[in-house]
Amino acid sequence: MLEVSGLTTKYGAISALRDATLTVGSGEVIGLIGPNGAGKTTLLNSIAGLLSPAAGSVSFNGADVTGSSPEKLLRSGLALVPEHRRIFTDMTVEENLKIGGITRSAADRTSDLDEMAELFPVLRDKWTTAAGFLSGGEAQQLAIARALMSRPKLLMMDEPSLGLAPILVDVVFSLIATLKEQGCTLLIVEQNATRMLEASDRAYVLRSGEVVATGTGAELRGRDDLFD
Ligand code: ATP
């Protein structure tokens, strides 16, 4: 579904991502792990069209989408839940969700809203509350639900558990498990390597802007050299 080949992205003269290659197959849950500053966010943002790569290519469902705009990518089925959520704090939960479904027909949007209310009971209870009043865990669920409203073929999430209390980290990972059961394809950046390796089919380890290892959770957990 997604093929990233030799992707290099620079901030000025500095290459934050170098020659990164990865694939995501339909229905797979793929983790991107690595220490702070490894280039994980840069990789996700380069795929999602928020950053322009200096070299390499991104292919999505067989089409070359390298350098495409985020809007075009969203319409073709690639959605991103960005770091720090970026929900609209002055708007209600419902309004945030409607914006997420902007690429869909009004009828589809209405039935998707019902589905989100079912999948996220916490949000259903705060439907008309301004998003700025949500707790961190609720806001993260809203950010994920908003991205799901576009019915993405591939959903990318940047650090979904960042800043959450342990009990809410559990909520996020159980949501990831539910989405996996439903057949969603997910590419997830996580600091919490242990949890991500448990939740994913495969993972890629980044360090200093490069992919240094890839494999299943079981394979990578045995690599002591990667997690010092
Ligand atoms: P974190 O978990 O801290 O977000 P990360 O693995 O996602 O880490 P990136 O945010 O992609 O890493 O950062 C990779 C490198 O690029 C780091 O050295 C960072 O300092 C640098 N960097 C990130 N954003 C910018 C920017 N806007 N301008 C200049 N350098 C940047």
Side-chain angles (χ1 to χ4, degrees):
M1 176 177 282
L2 180 76
E3 285 176 27
V4 174
S5 179
L7 211 62
T8 294
T9 301
K10 300 182 177 188
Y11 299 107
I14 297 164
S15 294
L17 185 70
R18 279 191 303 275
D19 201 20
T21 293
L22 68 88
T23 60
V24 181
S26 181
E28 275 194 310
V29 175
I30 301 294
L32 275 180
I33 56 178
N36 272 335
K40 305 181 298 296
T41 296
T42 302
L43 174 52
L44 228 51
N45 287 350
S46 302
I47 295 169
L50 296 169
L51 289 171
S52 300
S57 65
V58 180
S59 156
F60 184 54
N61 280 329
D64 183 359
V65 296
T66 320
S68 290
S69 70
E71 294 77 15
K72 197 170 166 207
L73 287 165
L74 187 66
R75 284 181 194 279
S76 65
L78 197 151
L80 171 69
V81 181
E83 205 173 6
H84 307 306
R85 297 152 204 162
R86 305 204 188 283
I87 51 178
F88 300 106
T89 51
D90 292 341
M91 294 183 172
T92 66
V93 165
E94 182 182 15
E95 287 163 348
N96 267 279
L97 291 173
K98 280 184 175 165
I99 285 181
I102 206 137
T103 54
R104 320 245 314 139
S105 73
D108 286 346
R109 208 158 52 220
T110 304
S111 71
D112 287 353
L113 279 173
D114 292 343
E115 217 172 289
M116 291 308 141
E118 207 170 300
L119 189 60
F120 299 90
V122 165
L123 299 182
R124 188 182 53 216
D125 295 343
K126 306 230 162 150
W127 210 241
T128 55
T129 301
F133 290 104
L134 299 182
S135 71
E138 291 163 351
Q140 185 58 272
Q141 291 183 64
L142 176 57
I144 294 170
R146 185 181 61 182
L148 286 172
M149 284 291 293
S150 69
R151 290 272 155 177
K153 297 187 181 89
L154 170 63
L155 177 62
M156 305 196 292
M157 299 185 208
D158 196 350
E159 305 251 14
S161 76
L162 188 71
L164 299 183
I167 190 155
L168 295 171
V169 172
D170 290 346
V171 170
V172 167
F173 276 99
S174 95
L175 177 62
I176 289 170
T178 304
L179 294 174
K180 179 173 162 54
E181 269 169 36
Q182 292 181 353
C184 292
T185 308
L186 305 172
L187 177 59
I188 306 171
V189 163
E190 252 301 329
Q191 285 268 333
N192 192 332
T194 310
R195 294 293 297 267
M196 195 63 238
L197 290 178
E198 283 166 11
S200 55
D201 295 307
R202 293 186 293 123
Y204 291 84
V205 184
L206 269 85
R207 190 174 272 184
S208 305
E210 292 182 51
V211 175
V212 293
T214 178
T216 63
E219 287 162 353
L220 292 174
R221 266 194 297 273
R223 295 274 310 269
D224 291 341
D225 55 312
L226 295 173
F227 307 104
D228 41 48

